[in-house]
Amino acid sequence: MKNLIPVLLISSIVMSCNEDDYSPVEDDVIISEELPIDSNILNLPDSPFNYANIVLPDYFLDNDVLNEDNTPNNNAVTDDGAVLGRVLFYDKKLSLNNTIACASCHLQEHGFSDPNQFSIGFNGELTPRNSMGLANARFYQNGRFFWDERGATLEAQTLIPIQDLVEMGMTLDALETKLAQENYYQVLFTNAFGDGNVTSQRIALALSQFIRSMVSYQSKFDEGLAQTQNINNNFPNFTASENRGKQLFLSNQTRCFDCHATNVFVGDDARNNGLDATITDLGVGGITGNNNELGEFKVPSLRNIGLTGPYMHDGRFSTLEEVIEHYNSGVQNNPNLDNRLRQGNNVRRLNLSDADKQALVDFLHTLTDEEFITDEKYADPFTD
């Protein structure tokens, strides 16, 4: 038997709703047994995978990392909630013509990013921006999502691609009706929320739980940090070039760590990183109307960065080598350029040697987590 965990409405999701949909499941409401799942449709274990209580290294639990965690108090990850989120994430029924799932643009083997510059929507059209990786999405201090940060929360973000006329093309009312007709969703919603009522609010909660459970922490970098307990020390499992790259990454010469901070390598806010002297994509400023934020974009985690190319919001760089060269010699001056990339009124140049540039690339590859990109609990559960 199982006790169900209360789930409350997240106020930042902007949509029509009925408060009855979000009546908390009382602690004494108990389901007598796990409901069966049709194994011809879904390959799920008899007991849910562990999503809620992943044992993370101590350095994921320090205050710097914990302060980046955007998990709201009323949508903590639960095993059954994340199972439902996993199925939703991979289900093409979330698109109008049953051709596109969330996973179509966020592939596990690519750190839940898209290897194409732009993603293909349900009707064959291309998205205007590159699909960023989702590994460690739960860690970002201001809690906003999308390159232009128009998603106030992850819960709000999850429903926007579903309704986008290029990406998935659904309305929320049509989605609720469509999914309610599937027996496996009656089972999964009951396991997660206490009854089989399919609502867009619950869809957002479950998808968010699954995405926040995607914590990458078993890379070569993690092995080295576990051995030394000090990011500044040389790691015994690193090559000389990888240790040199780590040293450069942390140094005042490059200031990479200023924008990709903590042991999860995340930003604290959107930044203008000098991609263009004349801004063509307004970024955050296009959402807020603040001219000082024009050309600013979210700073994603660098975990699994070696797998998530092409790079930048528009996928303009195919390789990490190109990214490093941009920061070395290609940053363009514009009024909103981040101060960390300035030297006086001019652009700061890094003056890296070829060996140093290669060392930085080598270090970034140590953030690849092979366990994460092959873990069954994040993989497609559908049998065909």
Side-chain angles (χ1 to χ4, degrees):
M1 295 192 298
K2 61 193 301 183
N3 290 311
L4 296 176
I5 298 176
V7 181
L8 304 179
L9 172 62
I10 291 180
S11 60
S12 59
I13 300 178
V14 180
M15 63 188 79
S16 71
C17 62
N18 184 325
E19 291 185 2
D20 291 340
D21 291 341
Y22 272 83
S23 297
V25 178
E26 300 295 339
D27 290 339
D28 59 353
V29 174
I30 299 174
I31 296 176
S32 60
E33 60 183 317
E34 284 282 351
L35 297 170
I37 298 287
D38 188 344
S39 59
N40 293 316
I41 298 174
L42 290 169
N43 179 23
L44 295 174
D46 292 335
S47 296
F49 287 116
N50 175 21
Y51 296 99
N53 297 298
I54 299 171
V55 180
L56 295 173
D58 289 343
Y59 50 82
F60 266 72
L61 305 176
D62 64 29
N63 287 333
D64 288 341
V65 175
L66 291 179
N67 287 339
E68 299 284 355
D69 195 328
N70 55 60
T71 305
N73 292 332
N74 52 3
N75 195 32
V77 176
T78 66
D79 291 341
D80 285 320
V83 169
L84 170 58
R86 176 189 173 198
V87 174
L88 289 164
F89 188 84
Y90 281 96
D91 198 341
K92 294 180 179 179
K93 293 183 180 67
L94 270 67
S95 64
L96 183 64
N97 58 1
N98 303 325
T99 60
I100 298 293
C102 303
S104 301
C105 305
H106 298 279
L107 286 72
Q108 183 179 13
E109 62 267 31
H110 292 282
F112 290 99
S113 70
D114 194 336
N116 298 308
Q117 183 176 15
F118 304 113
S119 299
I120 300 173
F122 76 100
N123 205 26
E125 297 180 70
L126 296 178
T127 58
R129 295 186 178 127
N130 180 255
S131 295
M132 71 172 68
L134 297 180
N136 292 19
R138 101 184 213 194
F139 300 107
Y140 190 64
Q141 189 174 58
N142 72 18
R144 305 189 71 88
F145 284 84
F146 291 114
W147 285 107
D148 57 14
E149 299 199 336
R150 66 188 184 277
T153 64
L154 180 55
E155 284 73 14
Q157 183 277 333
T158 57
L159 298 179
I160 294 175
I162 295 170
Q163 301 171 82
D164 189 272
L165 297 180
V166 171
E167 295 188 58
M168 301 173 88
M170 290 289 287
T171 67
L172 297 181
D173 287 344
L175 178 64
E176 291 173 355
T177 300
K178 188 178 186 180
L179 299 188
Q181 295 172 357
E182 301 297 333
N183 289 334
Y184 57 87
Y185 278 125
Q186 293 298 305
V187 175
L188 293 168
F189 275 84
T190 298
N191 289 343
F193 295 110
D195 61 64
N197 191 23
V198 176
T199 69
S200 56
Q201 294 92 343
R202 287 177 169 184
I203 290 169
L205 292 168
L207 280 169
S208 299
Q209 287 186 38
F210 178 60
I211 293 168
R212 285 201 183 93
S213 77
M214 295 178 181
V215 181
S216 176
Y217 62 95
Q218 298 180 85
S219 66
K220 186 175 184 179
F221 169 83
D222 294 296
E223 295 172 4
L225 187 55
Q227 292 175 48
T228 64
Q229 297 296 311
N230 189 332
I231 194 173
N232 294 299
N233 292 346
N234 280 343
F235 288 0
N237 64 325
F238 272 22
T239 66
S241 182
E242 289 166 348
N243 271 315
R244 172 59 177 161
K246 179 168 68 68
Q247 179 187 37
L248 284 166
F249 188 93
L250 300 172
S251 71
N252 288 329
Q253 179 182 356
T254 68
R255 300 191 68 182
C256 301
F257 202 53
D258 288 0
C259 292
H260 299 278
T262 78
N263 294 317
V264 288
F265 298 96
V266 293
D268 58 350
D269 208 346
R271 302 287 173 186
N272 181 311
N273 63 343
L275 291 174
D276 300 296
T278 301
I279 295 170
T280 55
D281 187 327
L282 302 183
V284 173
I287 301 301
T288 64
N290 185 342
N291 288 337
N292 294 325
E293 295 176 332
L294 293 174
E296 291 188 352
F297 297 94
K298 177 170 179 167
V299 181
S301 171
L302 294 184
R303 291 286 182 152
N304 295 294
I305 192 68
L307 305 173
T308 61
Y311 303 100
M312 306 299 167
H313 69 278
D314 55 7
R316 69 176 63 188
F317 299 133
S318 298
T319 66
L320 287 175
E321 285 80 2
E322 292 177 64
V323 173
I324 298 300
E325 192 55 56
H326 165 71
Y327 289 111
N328 183 55
S329 65
V331 173
Q332 302 296 301
N333 206 349
N334 70 70
N336 294 337
L337 181 66
D338 190 85
N339 288 333
R340 301 162 202 185
L341 300 176
R342 289 189 181 281
Q343 188 167 18
N345 293 324
N346 299 314
V347 173
R348 186 166 59 88
R349 301 301 183 194
L350 303 187
N351 300 314
L352 298 170
S353 68
D354 288 344
D356 283 347
K357 286 184 277 188
Q358 185 59 53
L360 278 168
V361 171
D362 291 344
F363 167 66
L364 291 174
H365 280 296
T366 70
L367 303 179
T368 297
D369 184 345
E370 296 291 340
E371 295 292 328
F372 175 77
I373 63 171
T374 57
D375 194 331
E376 183 184 357
K377 72 182 178 184
Y378 301 123
D380 187 351
F382 286 90
T383 57
D384 56 17

